[in-house]
Amino acid sequence: QVQLQESGPGLVKPSETLSLTCTVSGGSTISYYWTWIRQPPGKGLEWIGYIYDSGSTDYNPSLKSRVIMSMDTSKNQFSLKLLSVTDADTAVYYCARLTVTYSGFDYWGQGALVTVSS
Amino acid sequence: DIQMTQSPSSLSASVGDRVTITCRASQSISSNLNWYQQKPGKAPKLLMYVASSLQSGVPSRFSGSGSGTDFTLTISSLQPEDFATYYCQQSYSNPLTFGQGTRLEIK
């Protein structure tokens, strides 16, 4: 059974960098799009972007200038960095797996609440 | 970006009711539409993919239909565990986008 688990600081100061890591267990990282999605408190879902096992990435244009994703296949981990955060970046951040046929996000992490506050 | 609009935004229904949620895309997305269920404090769960395919393990009372710009998710007979928020999501083109959600509440 594939499992995903987010980890990282729950509190980040404004203008600093949000960093999260997702660890994948129970399955390979090969041939999937490894995705970050966020959900501000009480609001809907926003796709941040994804990284493929080759290292290629695609980001939401609304966040592209501030997002960096990376992957360590030897550790079955992928990571998100969001630069220069503001209050608007406060959200639950989910990692998820997207099939190469784009047939939905079939596995999700439990989510990590990140609060931006001084 | 492709905008996804769900209706209604909220819905009250009773156990045993048949419920339909609608999702409309701002342009044609063929059948590249997925549905998720989210319960409070939990991650979304994939219910349907490519509009009408039932994800493994999802009860058969859930069904999906549509193509182009208009899609529906139907629950044939509501169960207590179905009260949740439902999201549609298009997989036609990046950026991948979600509907705003439909909150299904107990009447």
Side-chain angles (χ1 to χ4, degrees):
Chain A
Q1 176 75 352
V2 175
Q3 293 185 315
L4 286 73
Q5 177 69 58
E6 304 90 350
S7 59
L11 181 64
V12 181
K13 291 183 168 55
S15 79
E16 295 190 345
T17 297
L18 179 158
S19 296
L20 292 171
T21 295
C22 183
T23 302
V24 181
S25 59
S28 171
T29 57
I30 304 300
S31 298
Y32 292 99
Y33 294 103
W34 298 99
T35 303
W36 291 97
I37 293 163
R38 70 179 183 178
Q39 185 172 37
K43 297 188 178 180
L45 299 160
E46 180 181 31
W47 176 72
I48 299 171
Y50 59 54
I51 184 166
Y52 192 61
D53 59 26
S54 63
S56 63
T57 57
D58 197 4
Y59 304 144
N60 193 321
S62 68
L63 296 167
K64 188 173 185 175
S65 64
R66 299 194 291 130
V67 172
I68 302 170
M69 293 185 186
S70 60
M71 189 153 193
D72 186 339
T73 54
S74 67
K75 294 182 178 179
N76 269 17
Q77 292 179 332
F78 61 104
S79 298
L80 167 70
K81 290 188 187 299
L82 183 63
L83 311 178
S84 304
V85 297
T86 69
D87 292 354
D89 295 311
T90 293
V92 175
Y93 285 76
Y94 294 102
C95 58
R97 188 181 84 169
L98 175 65
T99 66
V100 292
T101 54
Y102 269 33
S103 300
F105 301 107
D106 59 352
Y107 287 96
W108 295 66
Q110 65 185 25
L113 174 62
V114 180
T115 301
V116 178
S117 175
S118 55
Chain B
D1 298 6
I2 298 175
Q3 307 302 316
M4 307 301 294
T5 304
Q6 292 181 230
S7 60
S9 294
S10 63
L11 174 60
S12 294
S14 301
V15 173
D17 284 354
R18 179 183 180 90
V19 166
T20 297
I21 298 169
T22 297
C23 179
R24 175 165 288 176
S26 60
Q27 65 183 72
S28 177
I29 58 170
S30 186
S31 296
N32 298 112
L33 190 282
N34 308 308
W35 289 98
Y36 301 85
Q37 176 194 67
Q38 187 179 33
K39 296 182 178 179
K42 300 294 187 182
K45 172 187 173 183
L46 180 63
L47 298 176
M48 311 289 306
Y49 60 96
V50 292
S52 60
S53 295
L54 193 67
Q55 176 70 356
S56 176
V58 174
S60 59
R61 62 180 180 273
F62 290 91
S63 63
S65 66
S67 66
T69 60
D70 294 317
F71 301 86
T72 59
L73 174 70
T74 299
I75 309 171
S76 61
S77 178
L78 273 175
Q79 299 302 300
E81 61 268 29
D82 299 337
F83 292 95
T85 300
Y86 292 84
Y87 293 93
C88 62
Q89 175 252 323
Q90 63 84 14
S91 290
Y92 183 78
S93 67
N94 291 0
L96 305 178
T97 49
F98 292 85
Q100 82 279 14
T102 295
R103 185 174 178 180
L104 179 53
E105 300 174 319
I106 301 173
K107 184 183 285 185

